[in-house]
Amino acid sequence: MAASSRGGNAAAALLRRGGQSSICASCRNAQFRPYSASAEAALTAEAHHLKPTESQPHPPFTASRKSEYRIKSGIILTRAPLLTRPLTPFENAFFFYQKRLNERLVLPFRHTLFFKKDTAADLDWRIKFEERGEIAAKELGRYYAQGRNAWNDELLVGSTLSNEDRVREILLKDAENRVTEDGEKAQPDEIVPVEQPMDRITEADKTNDVRRLDRKLDKTLYLIVQGTDGKWQFPTEDVPTDEHLHETAVRALESAAGVNMNTWLVGRVPVAHLVRHPQFNEDTSLKQRGEKIFFLKGRILAGQADLKDNKFGLKDFNWLTKDELKEKLPSDYFRSVRNMMADR
């Protein structure tokens, strides 16, 4: 007799001895109905991975069921963004307004605290101060924070005062030295232009060279490799019985992309996983083993991937953004890893 049946009979006997029952008959029957058959059926269905409409497992459940899956470990190697993203026109206007508001609230700039009188630095300051219309701020335009129109510090719609290119040109021009080595005001032909900053769009962006790391500097890049079957994936390897997942992930990266990279494994816990179920023949014999792939996250600090003499026979590699991976990877593969990827 099952334990649940013995318990139900004992409770019913107590109720009969008590005479007056404090519960109704329907509740008593509901509370002490036998659970053995339903509980056993639920456990069987869960153990056999059955759907609600299935009554028999396919194939029959055996102790060797675990041999139907291959356990793999892969690494999602990333290059972090090197630049902040470009600001929107609204954000440019907001930060420009904040600078003007700060000019209104702070005390007037006292250049004598920073530049000694009658020195070259003092002369350079006074020349630029006069060119700006006697305004201390460099890029705020003709805005007098201490004047009677200081309240009018917001930009009008369509104004180009907060444009990044305009602000950059003003700051570069202000950085030019207007004083000669003799302490005299420099003539226009004596002024040395300041070196322009590098463009956000690199040569790799212009040529769409997806193998270089100096592209998409404001986004995260992910390393994927192309196998002999032409499919793209992250570096992956089978997990032997004597290795942990993180050890296999590091070995998979070295075997696939070489050792000419300085990398860092972020953690020893998987950040994503992919399950591919096995396939069976009509006679329930195993046709193709399934896969359970666990992905760990890594960072590249220096170096570059090198597929020369790799043991997997990989043909190519790419450094792609999240949006580009969506077009390159199989749909089920991408869905299994997309939640661990940053928006940029």
Side-chain angles (χ1 to χ4, degrees), residues 8 22 46 56 73 99 106 113 162 225 239 258 286 300 322:
S22 59
E46 181 180 0
Q56 295 295 329
S73 179
K99 293 176 184 177
V106 300
L113 299 177
S162 62
V225 292
V239 180
L286 184 63
I300 181 171
K322 181 179 180 180

Side-chain angles (χ1 to χ4, degrees), residues 280 282 300 305:
F280 300 94
E282 292 296 331
I300 181 171

Side-chain angles (χ1 to χ4, degrees), residues 165-192:
D165 295 333
R166 171 194 168 274
V167 173
R168 185 184 303 112
E169 291 178 3
I170 291 176
L171 294 178
L172 290 174
K173 187 173 180 59
D174 187 83
E176 296 174 351
N177 194 357
R178 306 299 178 84
V179 180
T180 64
E181 296 179 355
D182 299 330
E184 301 292 337
K185 182 178 179 179
Q187 299 300 318
D189 58 344
E190 297 177 330
I191 299 176
V192 179

